[in-house]
Amino acid sequence: MPEHAVQLRDLVKRFGEFIAVDHVTLEVARGEIFGFLGPNGAGKSTTIRILCGLLAPTEGEARVGGLDVRTQAEEIKRHIGYMSQKFSLYDDLTVAENIDFFGGVYGVENGRLAERREYVLKMAGLEDRRTTMTHLLSGGWKQRLALGCAILHDPPILFLDEPTSGVDPIARRAFWDLIYELSASGHTVFVTTHYMDEAEYCHRVALMDAGKVIALGAPDELKRSLESHHIIYLETSDILESMKVIEKLPGVSDVAVFGGGLHVTVADYDAAAPRIRGALDRAGISVGELQCIQPSMEDVFVAMIEKAEKERS
């Protein structure tokens, strides 16, 4: 077995004049949960489709399980599991019928299908719903079923493309519990998402923007990389008016709504804190909480995107 489950070297994908994937280089270790983060249109899904053998790269190299995406695409498809945000299930079949159908698609032998079906039903918590029509399932249960169908043939590498899009936070958390179980059993999981909080669940993440990987590393490592940024969490009596006041102050590089307060990015906390308090006081706005906090992955992503945009301009 190769040391890395996925390897990309200067990968490029063009559609006419548009560059969807722009010289991407990265490696994913076996058993790793690797997150591919970025806004819609960043190039994440295009990269996934190349790695799944569904699209040919324009330039560069890509290997999945040691197999070349250019020359061994069909073989790659037999060694991976793929799940998209559309789930690809058949609503007019029952849960068990969907599993059996995908077992046939993936070539699971009849003698092994019953065992794999029971494994999938148990893993997904669908044992009591095997005869339920799929269209009657909630989004979260459909999501679990789709994951189960993607791993019926026990592939060593899973590609999950925006798998939690459109499901509620509780279902998202339960789905990530399943991903952890798969990783613990030796599966490599390559997952794309635009939910910044999901980066915290990954061993490593790549932040992608405009076809390029603009940051790569473990979540804590990326947070520490914002050494020149201090993040202030601020709660006030008037959030929107506070934004207008604060964003004009010297030393403030970004102000964004976060939960019930604001995240204010500054270069120097000790200098900025009294300046912010004073400006809000003069505006008649009371301050409930003002403290320096560790950046979130959303803060990291915003800072990295802004840096990339400045470099492009």
Side-chain angles (χ1 to χ4, degrees), residues 47 74 89 95 98 135 145 156 175 195 208 213 266 279 294 308:
T47 304
E74 290 306 311
L89 297 171
V95 167
N98 260 296
H135 73 268
L145 176 58
F175 185 78
Y195 293 115
M208 197 168 187
V213 171
V266 299
Q294 184 187 48

Side-chain angles (χ1 to χ4, degrees), residues 3 21 35 39 56 94 126 165 183 236 247 262 274 284 303:
E3 179 184 354
V21 181
T94 66
L126 288 164
S165 180
S183 173
T236 74
E247 61 189 6
L262 296 174

